Amino acid sequence: NRSVPVFWMIGEDPDLNKVTRWGLGLAQPAQDFTFKVDVGGLNPDTTYYYSFWAEGVSSDIGRTRTLPVESVDRMRFAVASCANYPAGYFNVYGMIARQDDLYAVLHLGDYIYEYANGTYGDGTDLDRVPEPDKEIVTLSDYRTRYAQYKTDPQLQAAHRRHPFIAVWDDHEFTDDAWTGGALNHNPEEGEGEWSERRAAAQQAYFEWMPIRENSTGGQNQVYRHFACGDLLDLFIVDTRITGREEQALDPL
């Protein structure tokens, strides 16, 4: 459980022959050995390439792009949501990875699903049985599920080629979640207190997803604003965990 030193670098050429910024940080066990760096001093509206190195192994070179700050006539985004690992292959992520002119991928939630295999999709024949093979409720469960999703090569390719602007929906927690509970949360079945499950899901999300922790809201705040030059202002809103009261049940 020791910390792992991670060296990172970023530059404007695909082979990283000319490094613009670099640094050294630690992947900590308290963050499930995930590692993020928020690089300052980059030019706006610019494509950058980056890589990580730890314990003698270097990552593939990734690509990202900064937003414009002045006049811009056109911006193109991909939109994704609702990707259930045992239900099938992530071919759409592969298609997104092959698009060269995107500023970012807007992921609108349900990046993972919380169910055991066979509950909502059976991955047995595709070798995509969710891990752990049960409904996830603890911090360890959520971490393991994110780690498995991140092994998908097409999802990896999408992240490697484009920055993601992400927000959660309900299945990052559990089905039909709201501020004070969820339809698919049952303390009487051993799933514990909702506040503990929600906190575990939030922590794993901020560990495993490319999202900044807000200086005031911490892991409770995913709503935020992206200024995109003079073309648009993008507002990411949380209508699920922070802003939703208990929903009415479907009478059907």
Side-chain angles (χ1 to χ4, degrees):
N1 287 332
R2 64 180 178 83
S3 300
V4 177
V6 180
F7 176 79
W8 60 268
M9 55 185 142
I10 188 168
E12 293 186 31
D13 66 287
D15 297 320
L16 287 176
N17 292 320
K18 184 179 180 181
V19 174
T20 304
R21 295 282 189 277
W22 62 272
L24 184 67
L26 292 174
Q28 306 272 13
Q31 285 78 46
D32 203 21
F33 295 100
T34 59
F35 180 79
K36 300 179 188 179
V37 58
D38 195 350
V39 183
L42 301 180
N43 295 321
D45 203 9
T46 302
T47 297
Y48 284 95
Y49 300 86
Y50 61 91
S51 184
F52 300 92
W53 183 93
E55 297 194 323
V57 179
S58 62
S59 72
D60 291 337
I61 294 176
R63 187 184 74 160
T64 190
R65 188 172 185 175
T66 54
L67 294 175
V69 297
E70 297 180 352
S71 178
V72 60
D73 296 326
R74 176 182 181 271
M75 298 182 72
R76 189 167 185 246
F77 299 88
V79 178
S81 66
C82 305
N84 186 19
Y85 190 84
Y89 296 118
F90 287 168
N91 296 320
V92 171
Y93 285 137
M95 296 173 66
I96 289 172
R98 293 191 289 273
Q99 305 302 309
D100 286 331
D101 61 342
L102 303 179
Y103 270 86
V105 177
L106 306 180
H107 201 291
L108 304 186
D110 295 346
Y111 187 93
I112 63 169
Y113 279 71
E114 79 278 14
Y115 301 111
N117 191 50
T119 305
Y120 189 61
D122 189 334
T124 303
D125 292 341
L126 299 175
D127 193 24
R128 292 174 73 88
V129 174
E131 298 176 0
D133 188 4
K134 64 172 186 173
E135 184 167 327
I136 54 176
V137 295
T138 68
L139 177 58
S140 177
D141 293 342
Y142 283 101
R143 285 171 164 175
T144 300
R145 191 64 59 88
Y146 276 105
Q148 181 188 34
Y149 271 60
K150 298 288 190 179
T151 65
D152 184 273
Q154 297 190 94
L155 178 56
Q156 288 180 5
H159 277 291
R160 189 167 58 246
R161 293 288 291 169
H162 306 296
F164 272 53
I165 298 173
V167 66
W168 56 47
D169 194 20
D170 56 340
H171 290 289
E172 288 90 349
F173 297 82
T174 190
D175 187 39
D176 274 347
W178 56 286
T179 300
L183 178 65
N184 190 34
H185 180 71
N186 302 295
E188 64 274 12
E189 295 182 8
E191 293 180 351
E193 295 296 325
W194 169 247
S195 60
E196 295 177 2
R197 185 176 186 179
R198 182 180 64 189
Q202 288 175 339
Q203 180 173 336
Y205 186 88
F206 273 87
E207 288 171 348
W208 281 90
M209 294 296 289
I211 182 172
R212 292 183 179 95
E213 292 192 21
N214 183 274
S215 59
T216 56
Q219 295 179 350
N220 297 317
Q221 181 175 321
V222 294
Y223 53 88
R224 57 210 192 275
H225 165 241
F226 295 87
C228 303
D230 62 357
L231 184 63
L232 67 94
D233 286 284
L234 179 63
F235 292 91
I236 306 299
V237 297
D238 178 4
T239 60
R240 175 62 69 179
I241 299 302
T242 299
R244 179 177 294 226
E245 297 178 349
E246 185 174 12
Q247 52 267 336
L249 295 177
D250 188 340
L252 300 179

